[in-house]
Amino acid sequence: MTEVSNAFHPHARSVHDLLFAPGSRGVLIATSRDPDAKRTFIMTPPAGTYVDGPAGPVAIKIPVTAAAATAISRETRMLIALGEADLGGLGLTIPRYLETLDSDGLPAVVTTVVRGAPMSVGYHRWLHTSRRRPVAEDFALAGGWLRQFQAATAGDRARITWASEVADQLRARWPGHPRLEAAYLRLTAADRQLKRHRVAKTIVHGDYWFGNLLVNDGRITGVVDWESGVRAGWPLRDLVRFALSYCLYLDRHTRPGQQVRGHNGLRREGFGAGIKYGLLEAGWLPDLVRLYLRTGIDAVGLPSGLWYGAALIGLGEIAATANDDGFAANHLELLAALPHWPMAEDLSGADAR
């Protein structure tokens, strides 16, 4: 089975048949009010429900809207593709597709459960992001898993057109926005740096942020929510997304106008102060951000000096694709306000590869 259209059809059994089967037990663990809102249950079905599946709990993701159904179909295709890939031990960290159910005419997906607590739990714990050691551990975990995954899924090499692709998406979404041209100029500058180079395309998660990484006993035990994934994409996308999201919420628990504990020079002032701090300022956290980006870029065979241009493109991608208009617009304006390159930084990109 390689296509969702084969897995979901009008006569698929109902999600209610599984949720309310005699002896089944479950709990709702996540719900949302987004345009693509979904409800996620963890439940233990009756023994023997899945002959080739787990004896324990499974996860069921149920769409609330038509947009959510489309997202679930995308994720199902990705999970099937991941299940067919040769990932070695990493395969245990990715949910395995089991079945597509009918939820009032929309597809609901059933997968195995990967265990662990979201990295976001530790991130929001008191003083976690104020201390170098736990932050360094988070970056090391995220970067280490990603490097292994990219090495396992590397395919054909291609000249990097990521910046121009994002620029086209940005123009299509934000025609007439007063900050569009300024943002476009930053993407053009990044494109000049990256398009000289070639890189192996990999499977891309597409939303590789700390809320989608599960951690247990000092290691990544799960990577979930693959609905934004692609089978052959630019590996820099996931690398950059983690760094940007990690920086974005540094001031979440700080009052407006106040300095963020543990980070000299960072105050909660407007949107994206943590991102500007992580990319442009001095301090132990900006040092970790740049080390993480440089290490990841070097690992895919590119000059590490491309880190800043990649970060600009990552901001543009969020502005172009985020499902919340306000969140996307804030990233567009943040991109437009950043310098084309950081001061006193060599972004020549070394020799083209």
Side-chain angles (χ1 to χ4, degrees), residues 37-49:
K38 297 166 283 288
R39 296 190 178 102
T40 302
F41 289 84
I42 300 294
M43 65 161 298
T44 302
T49 300

Side-chain angles (χ1 to χ4, degrees), residues 16-342:
H16 302 287
D17 294 337
L18 186 58
L19 286 176
F20 301 111
S24 65
R25 294 175 290 114
V27 60
L28 176 67
I29 64 165
T31 188
S32 70
R33 298 180 181 179
D34 295 335
D36 59 351
K38 297 166 283 288
R39 296 190 178 102
T40 302
F41 289 84
I42 300 294
M43 65 161 298
T44 302
T49 300
Y50 296 104
V51 176
D52 297 324
V58 298
I60 309 176
K61 191 175 288 188
I62 302 171
V64 177
T65 65
T70 299
I72 284 176
S73 294
R74 290 197 307 266
E75 180 169 22
T76 302
R77 286 191 290 270
M78 279 303 303
L79 292 177
I80 292 172
L82 288 161
E84 296 171 346
D86 183 11
L87 300 178
L90 287 183
L92 298 176
T93 66
I94 297 171
R96 180 160 59 90
Y97 171 78
L98 294 174
E99 181 182 13
T100 299
L101 303 174
D102 173 45
S103 177
D104 297 323
L106 300 176
V109 64
V110 184
T111 70
T112 58
V113 172
V114 286
R115 300 180 182 275
M119 188 180 284
S120 54
V121 173
Y123 181 97
H124 290 296
R125 192 170 291 136
W126 176 244
L127 296 181
H128 182 90
T129 57
S130 299
R131 297 172 294 163
R132 190 184 192 284
R133 181 174 177 178
V135 172
E137 290 174 350
D138 288 345
F139 275 103
L141 286 176
W145 187 94
L146 191 58
R147 287 191 295 275
Q148 292 182 63
F149 181 74
Q150 291 174 342
T153 63
D156 295 336
R157 295 174 65 83
R159 193 162 300 279
I160 303 173
T161 57
W162 182 30
S164 61
E165 293 164 13
V166 169
D168 290 343
Q169 292 174 310
L170 211 59
R171 283 197 178 279
R173 180 169 186 172
W174 299 107
H177 192 287
R179 300 296 283 158
L180 176 61
E181 288 306 315
Y184 188 82
L185 288 174
R186 272 90 183 146
L187 293 177
T188 300
D191 187 47
R192 284 197 295 268
Q193 297 167 22
L194 272 71
K195 70 181 180 181
R196 301 166 51 212
H197 303 278
R198 302 175 68 86
V199 71
K201 286 192 168 185
T202 67
I203 295 179
V204 173
H205 181 280
D207 193 18
Y208 193 75
W209 75 293
F210 56 86
N212 285 335
L213 308 186
L214 307 186
V215 181
N216 185 44
D217 200 22
R219 60 189 181 92
I220 299 288
T221 55
V223 179
V224 299
D225 289 345
W226 288 84
E227 63 196 49
S228 298
V230 296
R231 301 186 193 192
W234 306 114
L236 302 184
R237 291 180 56 197
D238 285 341
L239 179 76
V240 168
R241 181 64 63 92
F242 181 83
L244 294 177
S245 65
Y246 202 97
C247 292
L248 178 61
Y249 299 103
L250 290 173
D251 60 1
R252 173 59 62 89
H253 304 293
T254 303
R255 292 181 180 179
Q258 298 297 307
Q259 180 173 305
V260 178
R261 186 186 295 268
H263 303 287
N264 293 330
L266 174 58
R267 293 181 178 276
R268 185 173 183 179
E269 296 176 333
F271 180 85
I275 291 177
K276 289 184 283 188
Y277 171 71
L279 296 180
L280 299 172
E281 302 300 330
W284 61 263
L285 184 131
D287 288 345
L288 288 176
V289 170
R290 295 163 202 167
L291 175 63
Y292 161 82
L293 291 173
R294 286 177 174 277
T295 300
I297 290 173
D298 181 72
V300 296
L302 293 171
S304 61
L306 298 176
W307 70 270
Y308 185 74
L312 293 182
I313 304 169
L315 284 172
E317 183 174 82
I318 298 171
T321 62
N323 59 15
D324 181 88
D325 285 340
F327 189 73
N330 283 334
H331 279 82
L332 172 64
E333 293 168 9
L334 176 59
L335 171 61
L338 289 175
H340 291 75
W341 51 81

